[in-house]
């Protein structure tokens, strides 16, 4: 259940890039190509400086950081046509379609407010089915005198929605967006687009969530989602597999929970389509059978991992290790976001609660039908058909 009500709102104002669309994924690929021509390698180190900025500000940060032999306008002129050709490949972020459909179905007015140019915003959303109809108002960075962190873009959105700023809920991913929303006198929920940076947003934001899947609209007086089932959120099934690798040895030794880890190599694009957190589904071991499974993906903040991990826990008592054996996973639902814990005991308690939720849910017909998915017993070469 949601915590007590924070504040009543009557409309939602959303940022686009990094909040609803995974623009950064496509932009990174384009930047790799362009910087390569200058003998430079895009490593994402400027991501924090470009997120939430206007195109010109972002270009200036990259030109300066990489010492490029061109002006900001020249760099943008080179970038823009290549990036524009890739707009059709930008995917919605996890939970974006679900949220927009939900708010639209309940008649909640929505506005898009982005530092991007108005024409660019309209081009981007034209590739997303139904999105043009969701927003009664769109405000681009070229329609105001100053972009975020100035509050002007959000105040203009409220004005066009015919709402008081205090009745607007802003959903953002960046520091400039958060600053602008609060300066406009609005409630702001942040979904950080840069991992492990939550502490940067916590002081000013009204709430910081891991992904749009974790938004609880009822906290703000908006209609609640009705799609959670016994503590789980059904997802379109997704598939991942590979040989079982040795983890950090903590699962058994420290937690008493023997996980069968998979390498994240080759799975980065798949993982980017799903928020880091706790999931469940079915696990197939080529020589042993199919088992219930609960798994975490992410950084494991308690242990302060520096690399993402995929840690499935097969809910069965095995008498021996099976490192190197082929493990296939069909992930069918989401339980919760990745969170930090103040003690080992609270972490262990939560993991066992995850297990109880997964075991019970996997007996429901909605989820149990995937036990017979052919992927769980198929040879590895067929994996590309599912990813």
């Amino acid at each position: 259940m949601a915590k007590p009500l924070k504040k009543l709102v009557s409309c939602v104002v959303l940022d686009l890039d990094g909040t609803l669309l995974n623009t950064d994924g496509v932009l990174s690929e384009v930047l790799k190509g362009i910087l390569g021509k200058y003998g430079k390698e895009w490593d994402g180190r400027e991501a924090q400086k470009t997120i939430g900025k206007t195109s010109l500000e972002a270009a200036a940060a990259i030109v300066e950081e990489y010492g490029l032999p061109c002006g900001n306008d020249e760099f943008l002129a080179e970038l823009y046509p290549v990036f524009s050709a890739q707009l059709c490949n930008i995917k919605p972020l996890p939970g974006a379609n679900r949220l927009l459909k939900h708010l639209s179905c309940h008649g909640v007015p929505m506005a898009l407010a982005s530092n991007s140019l108005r024409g660019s915003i309209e081009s981007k959303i034209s590739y997303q089915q139904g999105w043009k109809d969701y927003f009664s108002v769109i405000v681009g960075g070229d329609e105001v005198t100053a972009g975020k962190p100035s509050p002007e873009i959000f105040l203009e959105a409220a004005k066009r929605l015919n709402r008081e700023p205090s009745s607007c809920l802003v959903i953002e991913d960046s520091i400039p967006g958060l600053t602008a929303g609060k300066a406009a006198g609005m409630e702001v929920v942040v979904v950080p687009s840069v991992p492990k940076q939550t502490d940067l947003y916590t002081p000013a934001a009204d709430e910081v969530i891991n992904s749009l899947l974790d938004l609880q609209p009822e906290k703000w007086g908006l209609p609640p989602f009705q799609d959670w089932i016994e503590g789980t959120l059904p997802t379109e099934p997704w598939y991942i597999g590979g040989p079982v690798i040795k983890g950090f040895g903590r699962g058994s030794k420290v937690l008493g929970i023997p996980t069968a880890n998979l390498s994240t190599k080759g799975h980065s694009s798949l993982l980017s389509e799903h928020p880091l957190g706790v999931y469940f589904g079915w696990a197939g071991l080529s020589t042993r059978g199919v088992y219930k499974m609960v798994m975490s993906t992410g950084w494991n903040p308690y242990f302060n991992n520096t690399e993402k991990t995929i840690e499935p826990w097969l809910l069965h008592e095995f008498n021996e290790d099976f490192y190197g054996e082929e493990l296939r996973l069909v992930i069918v639902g989401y339980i919760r976001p990745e969170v930090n814990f103040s003690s080992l005991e609270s972490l262990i308690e939560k993991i066992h609660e995850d297990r109880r939720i997964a075991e019970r849910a996997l007996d429901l017909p909605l989820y149990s039908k995937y036990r017979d998915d052919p992927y769980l017993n198929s040879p590895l070469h067929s994996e590309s058909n599912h990813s």
Side-chain angles (χ1 to χ4, degrees):
M1 290 296 294
K3 291 174 186 166
L5 192 70
K6 288 177 178 280
K7 187 176 176 184
L8 281 171
V9 301
S10 63
C11 61
V12 179
V13 184
L14 298 118
D15 174 53
L16 182 62
D17 302 306
T19 300
L20 292 173
L21 289 180
N22 186 14
T23 314
D24 293 339
V26 167
L27 184 57
S28 289
E29 289 304 311
V30 171
L31 286 169
K32 273 181 196 170
I34 291 177
L35 288 171
K37 293 180 188 174
Y38 292 101
K40 309 281 185 181
E41 188 177 342
W42 169 254
D43 54 15
R45 66 176 182 264
E46 286 308 289
Q48 186 64 57
K49 289 186 185 175
T50 59
I51 288 169
K53 302 291 177 68
T54 64
S55 304
L56 199 56
E57 289 168 341
I62 293 167
V63 168
E64 183 183 354
E65 177 66 26
Y66 287 89
L68 300 182
C70 60
N72 301 337
D73 289 327
E74 191 184 337
F75 180 72
L76 263 186
E78 189 175 357
L79 174 72
Y80 196 73
V82 185
F83 179 58
S84 297
Q86 294 296 319
L87 294 183
C88 57
N89 294 322
I90 299 176
K91 292 183 178 178
L93 281 158
N97 275 315
R98 170 179 176 255
L99 174 63
L100 296 177
K101 278 179 193 162
H102 173 75
L103 295 175
S104 176
C105 284
H106 286 89
V108 177
M110 285 183 278
L112 264 183
S114 167
N115 271 350
S116 293
L117 304 178
R118 171 72 183 248
S120 175
I121 295 169
E122 291 182 342
S123 294
K124 286 171 191 166
I125 67 172
S126 71
Y127 294 103
Q128 308 301 325
Q129 192 173 353
W131 283 28
K132 276 196 287 193
D133 300 326
Y134 290 145
F135 302 103
S136 49
V137 166
I138 294 174
V139 188
D142 52 338
E143 297 179 83
V144 291
T145 54
K148 307 168 194 177
S150 162
E152 188 183 350
I153 207 161
F154 286 128
L155 293 172
E156 180 62 25
K159 182 179 165 189
R160 294 189 197 176
L161 284 169
N162 200 23
R163 292 288 198 280
E164 287 297 318
S166 59
S167 70
C168 299
L169 176 66
V170 168
I171 303 178
E172 264 284 356
D173 72 305
S174 71
I175 296 287
L178 166 60
T179 306
K182 292 314 295 178
M186 299 178 177
E187 302 296 293
V188 183
V189 173
V190 178
V191 192
S193 54
V194 177
K196 303 172 83 169
Q197 300 277 338
T198 305
D199 53 325
L200 296 177
Y201 305 89
T202 309
D206 295 289
E207 186 174 31
V208 181
I209 56 177
N210 187 52
S211 81
L212 292 174
L213 294 181
D214 303 311
L215 184 72
Q216 294 175 292
E218 63 271 29
K219 285 186 179 182
W220 313 96
L222 297 171
F225 285 110
Q226 302 288 349
D227 50 359
W228 284 83
I229 298 165
E230 295 192 17
T232 68
L233 180 63
T235 62
E236 281 294 311
W238 50 290
Y239 303 81
I240 199 164
V244 176
I245 60 168
K246 287 205 176 211
F248 296 95
R250 294 186 302 239
S252 301
K253 292 190 189 109
V254 181
L255 303 174
I257 294 158
T259 55
N261 293 18
L262 290 177
S263 169
T264 55
K265 286 188 179 70
H267 297 307
S268 57
S269 64
L270 180 63
L271 289 176
S272 73
E273 293 173 25
H274 303 278
L276 304 180
V278 176
Y279 294 85
F280 66 98
W282 297 98
L285 279 167
S286 48
T287 60
R288 299 169 190 266
V290 175
Y291 307 94
K292 290 179 176 180
M293 174 278 300
V294 63
M295 77 172 199
S296 71
T297 64
W299 306 93
N300 201 327
Y302 181 81
F303 292 111
N304 200 24
N305 290 357
T306 54
E307 293 182 10
K308 281 186 196 173
T309 58
I310 303 171
E311 303 184 42
W313 180 18
L314 276 56
L315 306 181
H316 178 80
E317 296 294 328
F318 292 95
N319 296 323
E320 69 224 336
D321 289 331
F322 38 85
Y323 296 124
E325 287 191 33
E326 188 63 39
L327 176 65
R328 292 313 190 77
L329 306 177
V330 177
I331 296 102
V332 297
Y334 173 75
I335 295 176
R336 64 173 176 86
E338 182 177 62
V339 290
N340 203 350
F341 291 91
S342 55
S343 70
L344 195 60
E345 291 72 29
S346 57
L347 170 60
I348 292 170
E349 187 181 330
K350 194 67 174 174
I351 293 172
H352 282 284
E353 183 187 324
D354 296 336
R355 173 184 183 149
R356 288 191 294 273
I357 290 170
E359 286 202 306
R360 189 171 62 242
L362 285 165
D363 288 332
L364 299 171
L366 172 69
Y367 298 128
S368 64
K369 64 185 179 185
Y370 292 104
R371 184 188 179 118
D372 300 319
D373 193 296
Y375 176 79
L376 293 169
N377 296 303
S378 62
L380 192 58
H381 63 72
S382 66
E383 181 155 336
S384 58
N385 298 336
H386 284 285
S387 295

